[in-house]
Amino acid sequence: MPANAPAPRIDGADEQAEALHCLVLRSLDDDKAVDVISIPLAGKSNIADHMVIASGRSTRQVASMAQKLTERIKRELGRNVRVEGLPVADWVLIDAEDVIVHLFRPEVRSFYNLERMWAFEDAAPAPAAATR
């Protein structure tokens, strides 16, 4: 196995990762997140299966989306997540293991431009569609 190849997944892990990804997209849609983009990382990076990037219109909305998302993940999937940047809420990182979520104010998002940094040659990130 190549050194950068992802570790083999145990039974049910892919379904759990997809359930988490759908929950994240649904929660962001419910909370009126702006410009939601999902970047598939499976097979390309071993940090997570998906990276979701979204914006809120203000620090208050970014903080609220982050708090609600962490509560929903805990309640519906029983997972604890790590959160960074919540007090300031210009850029909040939520590490849910299989899915990494970046929530930004629009100005901060355009400055860091994570979409371009994580875009892979074979496919550009596409806008995420929440599934209900």
Side-chain angles (χ1 to χ4, degrees):
M1 182 177 342
N4 62 350
R9 303 294 299 248
I10 58 172
D11 290 338
D14 288 331
E15 291 82 12
Q16 291 175 2
E18 285 306 313
L20 174 61
H21 185 236
C22 289
L23 174 63
V24 167
L25 295 177
R26 188 175 66 244
S27 180
L28 294 175
D29 184 54
D30 290 349
D31 293 337
K32 309 290 189 249
V34 179
D35 297 328
V36 179
I37 292 190
S38 179
I39 301 171
L41 300 177
K44 298 172 184 162
S45 174
N46 60 4
I47 64 168
D49 290 340
H50 300 278
M51 179 181 297
V52 177
I53 303 171
S55 297
R57 291 183 173 84
S58 65
T59 55
R60 178 178 276 182
Q61 184 186 12
V62 170
S64 176
M65 288 189 305
Q67 289 172 334
K68 287 179 182 178
L69 179 56
T70 58
E71 291 168 5
R72 287 174 179 147
I73 292 171
K74 172 89 172 166
R75 183 179 63 243
E76 294 184 27
L77 300 177
R79 289 187 179 200
N80 288 319
V81 298
R82 290 178 294 283
V83 181
E84 296 289 333
L86 196 51
V88 177
D90 283 336
W91 175 2
V92 178
L93 169 75
I94 301 170
D95 182 355
E97 295 179 10
D98 295 321
V99 179
I100 305 293
V101 182
H102 296 275
L103 302 175
F104 290 98
R105 279 188 315 104
E107 306 81 34
V108 178
R109 181 176 179 171
S110 65
F111 178 79
Y112 287 103
N113 200 6
L114 290 184
E115 295 93 329
R116 192 184 71 146
M117 183 186 317
W118 281 94
F120 295 99
E121 293 175 15
D122 55 306
T131 56
R132 293 193 183 250

